Amino acid sequence: MKIAVIGQSLFGQEVYKELKKDGHVIVGVFTIPDKDGKADPLGTEAEKDGVPVFKFPRWRLKGKAIDEVVEQYKAVGAELNILPFCSQFIPMEVIDHPRHGSIIYHPSLLPRHRGASAINWTLMHGDKKGGFTVFWADDGLDTGPILLQKECDVEPDDTVNTIYKRFLFPEGIKAMVEAVRLIEAGKAPKIKQPEEGATYEGIQKKDNAKIDWNQPAEAIHNWIRGNDKVPGAWAEVDGKNVTFYGSTLVDNGSTTGQPLEIPGASRPGLVTKNGLILFGNDGKTLLVKNLQFEDGKMIAAAQYFKAGSSTAVELTEEEKSFAEQMMSILTNVEKIDDSTDFFKSGAASMDVVRLVEEVKLRASQLQLQNEDVYMATTFQEFIQMCVRKLRGEDAEEELIVDYVEMNTNNMTIQMPHQLFINGEFVDAEGGKTYKTINPTNGEVHRESTLTIGFCGRRLLLFNSRLADLMEQHQEELATIEAIDSGAVYTLALKTHVGMSIQTFRYFAGWCDKIQGCTIPINQARPNHNLTFTKKEPIGVCAIVIPWNYPLMMLAWKTAACLAAGNTVVLKPAQVTPLTALKFAELTARAGFPKGVINILPGSGSLVGQRLSDHPDVRKLGFTGSTEIGKQIMKSCAVSNVKKVSLELGGKSPLIIFSDCDLDKAVRMGMSSVFFNKGENCIAAGRLFIEESLHDTFVHRVVNCNRMLYLCFFFEPTVFTGVQDHMFIAIEESFGPVMIISKFKDGDVDGVLQRANATEYGLASGVFTRDISKALYVSERLQAGTVFVNTYNKTDVAAPFGGFKQSGFGKDLGQEALNEYLKTKAVTIEY
């Protein structure tokens, strides 16, 4: 089809490119004249292809079409006009000329929000649904028949920019191409717009964007976000007009901050470290991130009372050289001085992106965000901002931690003791606390806070800097782990902390490798189909961990959860919260966004139950007892059928045949029981020793000198002659207790039957030099992990999890990512 494209902007450019890909002939592009020496992207793209480009300043004069303009248009011979975001008034002589007429893209669900500021009004009215319309042009204002519409949900904190980028831009381009296909096939509908629900709101301009404070907080929020970034909602503050950007609704805005009087507001605003808290006439609150003054200067709202107080830094020769290089960014400005304003000199949003990229080329260690440019609009401000960042003087506001300090292990350790919510250490509601006791001596460290609150949701691309920080603090973490959980310090250093660091490093590598697959489907003929899957984050994930490996259990679940792009609410065991809180401090220092990681110490009956019941939690990962696991699973089902993974109790069998390496079997058999004082979920709960080896094995174990030094409070204990019906043969002991039974020589199937006669299925082991026997036994053991001629050999790359009443789901390895992802299948017919 021969098509004329009439419009401008990146949207017009992308529609043009997609129409060409679809095989259409673009006979002419009609766009706007160059602005400040820069051509519009649509015109630039067409000129590269050799397509005729026309840049008429106007199509009509005094309400009448300009004849020579119309004649130039008609000469291209278009069969259809496509108007993607056309801002000019096109005369009906042009609209009606092609045999297929003209179609226009409009960013609203017509007939609602006719007019040029449709996206703004969608947000300002607080619409729950937004979208766009492709309609047939007529002589009215957005009143022509509807060809197709697409709708989307409007998120509570959407701005014009976010809803445009997320939906209106990408889906709108596809829809324009789809509309042309329908026209070409003779299947394009012409649905008359209903008058019911029709609205028209004028172009939103700065003059009428003033904020009315006598409204509920949500209405004020909608007004601010609907005018963000253009034209900008404003109000009078301190006798000056100030524009507000970056509004979000907050449930309970901070009441701590510096008051800011705002004429007409029901209450003074509060300048807090997070931004400016504003109040509606309903007492509810919203938070504004950025403010702009009449001279164009933009600041973080949190810096309102500090604006202008910082002195300029004197540049070094190297920094002066960097400043001179940056002068080339404004190619249309002959001379740049300190007062040259980036935007007043003609720069637009695309130039902001270009400037950020230019900075990366000239100083790779300087990472800017687009927002940084908006907050430093003059050349001097911009250079000062860059230099301060290069010098490290723009660090985030210092993390405030109320440490409990202790001198131990030849060091001073610093332990946070409050809740960690939304990037801050805070007291619980009502200042509630409970006592944390050192199990090695019975001393109370300091009362830790008890929560009854909950956090919000955000997403994360995991940063391996955390592993580096944990490594830098490994001795401190191991010491805290030892005094909090009673772990032996050297074991805490190597395993509790060491494996935690390895886990975060391992999953950091998975962050950019999570992918779906393409699938051939049976319905592929006679149609053409493409089916593919996408792996998506679940959202808010709760994690509840036990007391035997406080940091390592945190790492096993949290690392995979974060790598999958989720946000975490973690409840450590009530008796061992300290390494989790130290971990929280390190995440903040590693630069994790606020709200991504939250630590809520407290009892399982209160905090754990709240997480199980909370409707905003979409996944819960739990390690603990089978009894509590069942209760959690029930609560998760009743609340919102949230996804659950459970790593529960164990009674792991270890079968030792007489043809084993005896020295290794004794050494590993003892380790399988007594490792970490027997407080180990995969500990060998029952050893089955072949009859001819039994007495020798028991003698070697009982007379081993190492037995004397394994535990301090509970002596290592060995039970022999244990029968299958006995309590200690059935239930998990979770302590330094070795339980030994014998089986008849050569009775492989008999010992397998006994080993599997349990409702647990977490781990198992077998010792034999016979590889055939080892493989036979490993195939038939009903456990999630089977160790052959070794034990306790877990690795961050190997999946870990149980069968039967030992739970389901996996920690560690690639499989752990699936616990925190959801799979979406997409099928396309083309």
Side-chain angles (χ1 to χ4, degrees), residues 401 403-406 412-416 476 480 582 585:
V401 187
Y403 292 115
V404 173
E405 293 191 353
M406 178 183 293
T412 300
I413 59 172
Q414 296 181 313
M415 298 177 288
E476 185 178 17
I480 295 173
K582 188 67 180 181
E585 178 196 343

Side-chain angles (χ1 to χ4, degrees), residues 510-786:
W510 272 111
C511 292
D512 57 356
K513 299 172 186 68
I514 297 171
Q515 58 192 21
C517 61
T518 57
I519 304 169
I521 60 174
N522 291 333
Q523 289 76 20
R525 295 175 182 174
N527 299 320
H528 296 283
N529 295 277
L530 170 65
T531 295
F532 61 90
T533 61
K534 297 173 64 181
K535 298 284 189 179
E536 298 180 348
I538 289 176
V540 179
C541 295
I543 292 173
V544 180
I545 56 174
W547 50 265
N548 56 327
Y549 292 100
L551 186 62
M552 196 170 78
M553 291 295 97
L554 175 153
W556 281 20
K557 296 186 189 299
T558 303
C561 182
L562 295 175
N566 301 287
T567 184
V568 176
V569 186
L570 183 136
K571 191 201 87 65
Q574 183 174 4
V575 294
T576 55
L578 298 182
T579 44
L581 293 171
K582 188 67 180 181
F583 167 82
E585 178 196 343
L586 297 181
T587 65
R589 301 198 185 285
F592 278 60
K594 292 182 177 181
V596 168
I597 294 172
N598 307 272
I599 308 294
L600 308 182
S603 70
S605 61
L606 180 61
V607 184
Q609 189 64 49
R610 179 76 189 278
L611 294 175
S612 301
D613 294 337
H614 204 289
D616 287 341
V617 174
R618 290 296 171 185
K619 160 68 197 281
L620 193 146
F622 172 75
T623 295
S625 71
T626 299
E627 180 184 7
I628 299 301
K630 290 178 179 179
Q631 183 178 334
I632 284 176
M633 191 172 178
K634 181 179 180 181
S635 297
C636 289
V638 171
S639 61
N640 60 351
V641 197
K642 58 174 61 70
K643 188 175 182 178
V644 183
S645 57
L646 304 171
E647 196 255 282
L648 307 175
K651 192 66 174 177
S652 302
L654 174 56
I655 304 172
I656 300 178
F657 291 96
S658 57
D659 62 354
C660 68
D661 177 338
L662 181 58
D663 289 339
K664 187 175 184 182
V666 170
R667 185 176 71 254
M668 298 302 297
M670 292 176 64
S671 176
S672 74
V673 175
F674 301 123
F675 184 80
N676 198 47
K677 313 180 299 297
E679 296 165 353
N680 193 19
C681 57
I682 60 171
R686 190 177 179 192
L687 277 64
F688 294 91
I689 313 297
E690 199 161 15
E691 194 168 29
S692 58
L693 180 65
H694 177 270
D695 292 349
T696 303
F697 184 89
V698 172
H699 177 78
R700 291 277 298 270
V701 168
V702 171
N703 289 284
C704 178
N705 290 332
R706 294 176 64 193
M707 289 280 286
L708 301 175
Y709 304 105
L710 287 172
C711 308
F712 182 72
F713 295 109
F714 192 103
E715 286 189 83
T717 303
V718 178
F719 288 90
T720 61
V722 175
Q723 301 299 309
D724 293 352
H725 66 277
M726 294 179 178
F727 182 83
I728 58 173
I730 298 170
E731 293 301 323
E732 185 176 27
S733 54
F734 218 71
V737 179
M738 181 178 283
I739 297 163
I740 298 177
S741 299
K742 68 172 79 170
F743 65 95
K744 292 181 180 179
D745 290 351
D747 189 11
V748 178
D749 289 327
V751 74
L752 277 169
Q753 185 177 3
R754 294 171 67 193
N756 289 330
T758 172
E759 273 300 301
Y760 296 114
L762 190 56
S764 59
V766 55
F767 277 81
T768 177
R769 285 192 171 99
D770 185 339
I771 187 63
S772 297
K773 188 189 298 180
L775 290 174
Y776 181 87
V777 170
S778 64
E779 285 178 359
R780 286 158 177 77
L781 283 169
Q782 298 170 3
T785 299
V786 180

